[in-house]
Amino acid sequence: GADSIGPKGLAHLCTEINVPFNELDFFILMWKVGATQSYCVTRSEWMHSAYVLKIEHVGQLKTNLSQWKAALLSDRQLYTEFYYAIFDFIRADDDKWLPLDKALRAWAVLLPEADQFKYLSLWAQWCTLEYKRPISRDVWRELLEFAKKITDLTEYDANEKWPTAFDDFVEWALERRGLN
């Protein structure tokens, strides 16, 4: 409504400040403005963030974005806070779970295979072929930790307190690679 900026308005904002929609910079921007609803920024979130971040015109968002991104990428704890918050931004407001297709698109941006999650392609394949369910907040959060900690699937310990989805994924991945 008139008290929020919806998906079309956000796409327009992104065009105006030359930020690709649904890419990392876009998610960082939504996190910094405190967006907590699915592809929506409320008037109060916008006004509060403009005040706190001292934003007087939209051009300043683009200017500040590179600083925010640099801080985020150099601080693991900050990145974790950001990653956790994005779950609420991309899932539907009334849903407890994140639809799998949305999660897969977000992970491609937030946990790129090259430098964040070396098993992203395998994970995406397993989610699509085997898991076939929406993603819980627990699985969403734990995947970040899994991506950081598990650098070799053969060293995965199912006795650690991982969600059972991870046990199933590792077993499937090792079988696919003929390592089990």
Side-chain angles (χ1 to χ4, degrees), residues 25-149:
D25 288 356
F26 169 73
F27 289 127
I28 293 169
L29 182 61
M30 293 301 99
W31 174 63
K32 288 305 279 188
V33 299
T36 58
Q37 297 175 35
S38 182
Y39 287 87
C40 175
V41 178
T42 64
R43 179 184 299 270
S44 62
E45 288 167 342
W46 183 264
M47 298 302 284
H48 177 75
S49 64
Y51 176 76
V52 170
L53 301 170
K54 297 175 177 45
I55 303 295
E56 293 176 15
H57 55 85
V58 291
Q60 287 178 298
L61 292 172
K62 180 69 175 169
T63 308
N64 291 339
L65 194 54
S66 59
Q67 296 165 346
W68 297 335
K69 186 176 185 176
L72 195 63
L73 296 178
S74 66
D75 183 335
R76 204 171 215 153
Q77 184 56 43
L78 195 61
Y79 195 87
T80 300
E81 289 173 27
F82 158 73
Y83 177 83
Y84 286 6
I86 292 301
F87 180 86
D88 290 320
F89 176 71
I90 58 178
R91 75 182 164 84
D93 298 327
D94 298 331
D95 292 344
K96 187 176 179 181
W97 305 78
L98 180 59
L100 182 57
D101 61 321
K102 284 185 174 184
L104 291 171
R105 285 195 304 272
W107 284 326
V109 172
L110 302 174
L111 298 176
E113 196 152 15
D115 60 357
Q116 292 266 8
F117 183 27
K118 74 185 259 183
Y119 299 112
L120 179 64
S121 296
L122 264 178
W123 171 256
Q125 209 179 0
W126 176 79
C127 284
T128 305
L129 299 173
E130 302 289 329
Y131 193 64
K132 301 177 190 170
R133 293 194 290 275
I135 301 301
S136 69
R137 183 181 303 274
D138 184 47
V139 168
W140 175 267
R141 288 182 168 202
E142 290 296 324
L143 188 64
L144 180 63
E145 196 59 30
F146 181 88
K148 286 183 215 169
K149 279 189 176 171

